[in-house]
Amino acid sequence: MPLGDGEVARRRGQHNSGATGLGGTRGEPHEDGTAPGGSGMEVTAEEPQLGPALGDGDAAAGWGEDAGGGLQPAGMEPEQFGVLGGEESLMAELSERVQKVVKSSSWWERHGVDASILACSLLALPAGFLCLRSARAVPFLAGILILGVVHHTLSVKGSHLASHNALSESKSWGKVWAVFFIELCSAFTAEQATYNHVKLHHGYTNVIGLGDSSTWKLPFLNRYIYMFVAPLAVPIITPLVALGLLRNVGLKVAARTVCCMSLGLYCHYWLLLHASAFQSPWSALLCMLLTRSLLAHPYIHVNIFQHIGLPMFAADRKPKRIHLMSLGVLNLPRNALLDWAFGHSLISCHVEHHLFPGLSDNMCLKIKPVVSQYLKEKKLPYNEDTYGARLRLFLRQYEELMVHAPPITELVGIQ
């Protein structure tokens, strides 16, 4: 879907007006599809899918046919799974291998594990609020830790899975979960988050002006402020940006979003005053800020580490999907805390997630050996690096990576 220079510039101007993202890009809506909030949260990416024939038992294993007869995971839009026909024989072959893993997996593996993590997080909330009643340091700090981890599990992992409809094979329930996790728990707008993350970031990963993670860049901040101080403001910036983006959605959607955001924030505040027995509104607000920013540093870091600094492409000269994702996405090592709070698809299985975005975190972890072996077998890049190494790289090359425009990668040896 080549774009002219004028079209790329127009979209880039819209794209850069956003702010923080859901593991990707959040910004203004674009004119090449249904505007967020117009008539629900149906979103599409740029390319349709063609796949192998649907066999018996595929539907039970979480697979179904798209409008063109291709194969896709149930609950996923056709475009989210990538082009799998013609010259895309590599993607077709990889898709068949992944399909076998998904077909052999139980509902527990496909959805139950991640649903249980989210349920356990919700059940841990009372313990967190009650620990904050203590005047002793250890229980009080335990309460901060519990509420901080729970908040990020619901707002990052829950929102990310909900944006891809990976929590349920029902589209109706998928919309309910998107509103709950994105608006109530995260204080953002579900339409904007879903549209910009799924359509732009996933549809145009590392494509300049569209899915290049440019909304994460704040070039007026120096490296140390950006990397270590600015993340503390994420809980304040997120709802403010969401309110600014409501002008792009319908009145009904805007009213629902404001109600859900207000309810989520007020419930947190009310529980701190009444369940945790905070004595003043300011101490409760400070505790809200502390718990909601507890993992904000790795949240910002992860989102820039895994794309920025990797090859970038022009919209009219980008490689095929499997090359685009293998070149422009990076996996970090497994980490118990971040795996729980953010999910495997944002940490150690980000490559797998970008190739098969409709799969849950647990399924991304399960297909990881298949994907890594296949890419290495075909001599395609499989980018991996440590958190510490990426942090040192960004501190050392901050001006080049986060301030200046990234160079466009030439497609030598790719197509």
Side-chain angles (χ1 to χ4, degrees):
M1 184 168 149
L3 301 174
D5 293 339
E7 179 70 354
V8 172
R10 178 183 67 78
R11 294 190 181 190
R12 189 174 202 175
Q14 294 174 323
H15 170 73
N16 286 338
S17 61
T20 56
L22 197 96
T25 307
R26 283 179 180 164
E28 302 290 341
H30 298 264
E31 298 173 6
D32 61 335
T34 304
S39 58
M41 288 187 292
E42 301 261 345
V43 293
T44 57
E46 59 162 327
E47 298 172 332
Q49 177 217 351
L50 301 174
L54 183 69
D56 294 338
D58 286 342
W63 294 76
E65 290 189 359
D66 61 16
L71 185 65
Q72 66 184 38
M76 182 191 291
E77 294 296 327
E79 294 84 351
Q80 288 176 252
F81 208 55
V83 177
L84 298 179
E87 297 180 2
E88 264 61 6
S89 57
L90 289 175
M91 190 66 198
E93 184 179 352
L94 176 59
S95 178
E96 289 178 4
R97 295 189 186 186
V98 170
Q99 174 199 353
K100 292 177 182 178
V101 177
V102 175
K103 285 174 63 177
S104 65
S105 301
S106 64
W107 177 89
W108 174 256
E109 292 174 304
R110 296 196 311 274
H111 300 293
V113 172
D114 294 296
S116 296
I117 291 173
L118 294 171
C120 287
S121 297
L122 286 169
L123 293 173
L125 282 174
F129 284 109
L130 291 175
C131 282
L132 292 179
R133 294 180 67 95
S134 177
R136 291 179 295 175
V138 173
F140 186 84
L141 292 175
I144 295 290
L145 178 62
I146 291 171
L147 291 186
V149 173
V150 167
H151 169 72
H152 284 86
T153 304
L154 300 178
S155 64
V156 179
K157 178 184 176 72
S159 294
H160 187 231
L161 290 175
S163 72
H164 288 286
N165 198 32
L167 288 171
S168 170
E169 293 173 7
S170 164
K171 287 188 177 181
S172 297
W173 274 108
K175 293 178 181 180
V176 171
W177 294 129
V179 171
F180 176 77
F181 287 111
I182 300 174
E183 296 188 352
L184 195 71
C185 299
S186 307
F188 206 80
T189 163
E191 272 72 14
Q192 290 285 341
T194 304
Y195 182 90
N196 287 280
H197 177 72
V198 176
K199 181 176 179 65
L200 296 181
H201 179 61
H202 277 270
Y204 300 93
T205 301
N206 283 29
V207 173
I208 299 293
L210 292 170
D212 60 356
S213 302
S214 60
T215 54
W216 290 101
K217 298 183 178 182
L218 299 174
F220 56 89
L221 297 179
N222 71 47
R223 66 196 68 204
Y224 298 105
I225 296 295
Y226 179 89
M227 300 295 285
F228 303 113
V229 178
L232 296 173
V234 167
I236 299 172
I237 295 173
T238 299
L240 294 179
V241 171
L243 292 175
L245 293 175
L246 290 181
R247 68 183 185 275
N248 303 310
V249 302
L251 181 59
K252 182 179 178 181
V253 171
R256 183 205 70 207
T257 300
V258 170
C259 289
C260 289
M261 288 171 55
S262 301
L263 179 62
L265 292 170
Y266 182 74
C267 285
H268 191 174
Y269 171 76
W270 187 91
L271 287 168
L272 288 174
L273 287 179
H274 295 84
S276 301
F278 276 75
Q279 298 301 309
S280 73
W282 289 111
S283 61
L285 290 173
L286 181 61
C287 185
M288 283 181 66
L289 178 63
L290 183 59
T291 55
R292 287 172 175 256
S293 63
L294 187 70
L295 297 179
H297 288 82
Y299 173 68
I300 294 293
H301 294 168
V302 163
N303 277 284
I304 63 174
F305 289 173
Q306 294 179 318
H307 294 286
I308 297 176
L310 297 172
M312 296 282 177
F313 305 94
D316 58 347
R317 288 187 291 128
K318 64 183 180 62
K320 299 300 181 182
R321 180 176 180 82
I322 193 167
H323 295 100
L324 184 66
M325 301 309 173
S326 65
L327 286 164
V329 187
L330 176 141
N331 285 345
L332 295 170
R334 293 195 63 179
N335 177 287
L337 177 60
L338 299 185
D339 284 347
W340 178 277
F342 295 172
H344 301 299
S345 61
L346 289 180
I347 306 299
S348 62
C349 304
H350 205 52
V351 174
E352 289 74 13
H353 169 64
H354 268 262
L355 286 167
F356 304 97
L359 299 181
S360 66
D361 287 330
N362 186 64
M363 282 307 304
C364 283
L365 184 63
K366 189 172 181 181
I367 68 168
K368 182 180 175 71
V370 175
V371 173
S372 61
Q373 179 184 353
Y374 181 81
L375 294 181
K376 292 171 182 176
E377 180 182 305
K378 300 300 180 182
K379 299 189 181 341
L380 292 170
Y382 187 75
N383 296 309
E384 296 179 295
D385 203 358
T386 66
Y387 191 104
R390 296 297 286 177
L391 182 61
R392 289 190 295 273
L393 172 69
F394 273 74
L395 289 175
R396 186 173 64 251
Q397 300 182 20
Y398 181 82
E399 293 289 327
E400 175 186 342
L401 298 176
M402 301 298 290
V403 178
H404 304 305
I408 294 176
T409 301
E410 296 297 328
L411 303 181
V412 178
I414 296 177
Q415 288 182 304

